[in-house]
Amino acid sequence: MITDTQISLKSQYSSSDRWLLGFVAILFILVFAPTLSWLWGRWTMSVWQNGHGILVTLLVIYLVREELIKRKDLPQHTSAWGFAILIPALIIHMLDTGLNSQLLSAFGLFMSLPGLALLFLGIERSKAILFPLIILMMTLPIPLVFTESLHMGLRIIATKSVAWLLKTLGVPVYSTGTILQVENGTLQVADACSGFSTLYAAVTIAILTAYFCNSTKRRILLLIIAAPLAIAVNIARVLILTLLVNWIGLDVLATAAHEISGLMTFMIALPVIFMLGQNPKEPENLANESHQ
Amino acid sequence: MIAARYSIPVIALLLVALIPTVIHNYLGLQAKDDAPVESIPITLDNFVSKPSSRLAIWGKETFNCHDWMERMYTDEDGHVVRLFVGKSFDHKRLYHHPELALSYGNNMVSEGIQWLQENPKIPVNVLRNNNKPGLAAYVLWYDGQFIENPIQHQIQDTLKLLISPKKPLILFYISDNHSKSTLNFRETNTAQLLLKAIQNFEQI
């Protein structure tokens, strides 16, 4: 039985808790607002860059929310181990304010989230949301110095594949390095057309989808298929653009078709990954569907 | 659902993290800088200069420089040497392959660091044109010191920057299209002009 005093104390305690937690949230936003602003800039720069960042972040927010709702009945637990993650994350952010790389600070931001989860949600609930939080790291822009050779490899794969496909289709083409020459113009498969952004997005989404898929076979399939799928979709895009140049001329590359084709790679690759990663229907549901 | 047990220590940690964030991100505090690069004389030894034709916004857009100049210095024999001097609080923009912007279109090979002058030693990054005469060389200067390894320098400087305003890095970049690859860099008139420009700037 709860007495009036206990109720009063309880409500007072809750009220101060709310203030404290609100203050933590405001301070956290103040500390990382410039970093978030930079991240937003990188995610919205162009379709050739890190456009998947927004999608993945929204997915992570949704998944974290779902997991926490599932576990809302767990008692309030905390773990001081969170400091072991939060303190280094904040140090990384602080050092980066002077270095001005922004990327390190963004790394610190995502690193601090599991630390805060341990401190405010406890070990059990942190475990449940740890994977989506780690996946947030895959929304960080990768510096060109680490991806330069990969870009070049992807560009050569796209050029050679498109040249082969064009010859198979009976379209005269001459290709060398990352250049494709057709009757109506010469195209260069540049870094932006390497398909790296689609590859990065597809692999990230595939890992996330595989984690929440119950079927081991589908998980393996997702992880195996993500990269070749992204590369194949990009080859198809370069092929279509080359055919358009062959039929219409180089001016077509200056139209919205160029950018829309970039978006199409995401619009094809990502739904395929989601579809493959759907949990298989249980026999009961299948039986019900067949009766209807 | 959310336990507030560790709120107070977390608030303390976030407040500490907020100090450099406010200094650098919100207030953008920068050290006072009263040595404009335009103070470098128009005439250096036997070299007379005229400004290059770059747009005024170019230095800001390319290197985030708040103070910069580029001049074409010509000696008595008609040899032209281009000198760029720029200051930026965005250090990486200045030291990360400045030749890509300043010697655009030239295929250059790095010769590494060479040393000019004995006291203090000036580390110069020397680059040569790959298939024709000509060279480029640059020196980085920060807070009265010449910087040999800018990445190492930036890492070492981060602790000071936790509570202090940013200071600019200065890039002295010089290039020509006539120095032969067989000629030692220190013996070129380009090296002499670079040294003169730095010495004059130090005295400002």
Side-chain angles (χ1 to χ4, degrees), chain B residues 24-39:
Chain B
H24 296 295
N25 294 118
Y26 290 111
L27 299 177
L29 288 187
Q30 292 164 352
K32 200 181 166 200
D33 182 19
D34 46 10
V37 296
E38 280 291 343
S39 313

Side-chain angles (χ1 to χ4, degrees), chain B residues 83-156:
Chain B
L83 173 70
F84 169 92
V85 185
K87 289 182 188 177
S88 177
F89 293 103
D90 200 343
H91 294 196
K92 193 186 162 202
R93 291 272 285 273
L94 270 188
Y95 70 69
H96 187 67
H97 292 294
E99 73 277 9
L100 295 179
L102 285 158
S103 294
Y104 181 78
N106 286 356
N107 183 10
M108 308 201 90
V109 179
S110 173
E111 278 191 357
I113 300 272
Q114 298 209 17
W115 299 89
L116 265 186
Q117 192 178 272
E118 284 307 310
N119 192 24
K121 277 187 168 181
I122 303 177
V124 188
N125 292 271
V126 181
L127 302 109
R128 300 268 186 180
N129 280 341
N130 202 12
N131 44 11
K132 56 182 181 182
L135 62 81
Y138 63 91
V139 170
L140 299 164
W141 202 56
Y142 175 81
D143 198 20
Q145 285 181 353
F146 295 102
I147 306 300
E148 186 184 344
N149 183 339
I151 297 173
Q152 191 184 349
H153 157 73
Q154 257 203 304
I155 292 168
Q156 283 170 350

